[in-house]
């Protein structure tokens, strides 16, 4: 069997041009030149092209779906926080200590001995409406997303 028919046979089996070139010991452009003489090569090339386009389209659609789901989850969290803040403001016209602490949680440190969140002065001067410390049970800390530190 000569190199041309061997190259066509390998190509129709699904090998890539580079792999065929390595097996036959010739360059990739030489393999392409050999294969262009056969009509089967052009048919197989079109089939592979359509298959790759289909695979790429499926991948893009899956990627977009994942991004959309992530966006929807993030949007739901923002809506939930907004509803909570709206409800807290509409009840009394002012925020409760719990809501204030939750909004400024990064400025508080957990004191393990006293089981309290204590305002961290290194974060800046404490506003008058923020409490110095707030009692919080360990189980409740998870909702504030605070690690227990000493």
């Amino acid at each position: 069997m000569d190199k041309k028919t061997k190259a066509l046979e390998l190509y129709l089996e699904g090998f890539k041009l580079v792999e065929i070139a390595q097996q036959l010991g010739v360059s990739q452009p030489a393999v392409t030149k050999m294969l262009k003489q056969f009509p089967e090569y052009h048919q197989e090339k079109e089939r592979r092209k359509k298959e790759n386009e289909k695979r790429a389209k499926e991948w893009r659609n899956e990627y977009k779906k994942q991004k959309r789901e992530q966006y929807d989850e993030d949007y739901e969290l923002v809506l939930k926080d907004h509803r909570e803040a709206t409800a807290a403001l509409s009840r009394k016209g002012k925020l409760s200590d719990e809501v204030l602490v939750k909004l400024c949680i990064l400025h508080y440190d957990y004191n393990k001995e006293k089981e309290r969140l204590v305002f961290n002065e290194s974060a800046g001067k404490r506003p008058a409406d923020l409490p110095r410390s707030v009692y919080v049970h360990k189980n409740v800390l998870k909702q504030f997303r605070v690690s227990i530190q000493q």
Side-chain angles (χ1 to χ4, degrees):
M1 181 182 304
D2 66 331
K3 285 187 177 185
K4 290 180 184 179
T5 54
K6 180 70 174 170
L8 178 63
E9 185 181 301
L10 291 171
Y11 188 74
L12 294 176
E13 287 178 17
F15 286 88
K16 296 178 181 178
L17 294 175
V18 175
E19 297 168 339
I20 297 170
Q22 288 174 349
Q23 284 190 12
L24 298 178
V26 295
S27 67
Q28 187 264 327
V31 172
T32 305
K33 202 177 245 185
M34 285 185 239
L35 290 174
K36 281 186 177 179
Q37 298 171 4
F38 298 100
E40 296 93 349
Y41 165 73
H42 298 289
Q43 294 168 350
E44 178 68 13
K45 186 176 179 181
E46 281 301 312
R47 186 193 68 75
R48 288 184 184 189
K49 185 177 178 181
K50 288 178 184 174
E51 186 179 299
N52 285 338
E53 287 172 356
K54 181 181 175 186
R55 196 177 314 122
K57 185 176 180 180
E58 288 172 0
W59 183 87
R60 278 192 307 272
N61 288 341
E62 184 63 30
Y63 180 79
K64 288 177 187 176
K65 182 180 174 184
Q66 289 174 352
K67 283 292 186 184
R68 198 176 313 117
E69 288 171 357
Q70 180 63 41
Y71 175 79
D72 289 346
E73 289 173 11
D74 293 345
Y75 184 69
E76 286 300 320
L77 286 173
V78 169
L79 281 179
K80 179 181 171 253
D81 289 345
H82 177 71
R83 282 192 291 270
E84 288 175 4
T86 305
L89 281 171
S90 65
R91 276 188 222 127
K92 303 173 194 166
K94 71 173 203 155
L95 295 173
S96 67
D97 284 351
E98 179 186 329
V99 173
L100 278 172
V101 170
K102 194 171 183 178
L103 291 173
C104 301
I105 194 66
L106 295 175
H107 300 292
Y108 282 87
D109 294 324
Y110 182 69
N111 186 327
K112 197 173 186 180
E113 293 136 12
K114 297 180 182 177
E115 289 187 352
R116 290 179 152 297
L117 286 174
V118 181
F119 188 81
N120 183 350
E121 296 292 335
S122 68
K125 189 170 180 179
R126 181 183 59 85
D129 56 349
L130 274 180
R132 276 194 175 86
S133 64
V134 178
Y135 170 77
V136 180
H137 193 271
K138 289 178 188 176
N139 296 337
V140 180
L141 285 176
K142 292 174 189 165
Q143 84 183 46
F144 288 117
R145 298 183 185 137
V146 171
S147 61
I148 299 176
Q149 300 169 350
Q150 206 165 1

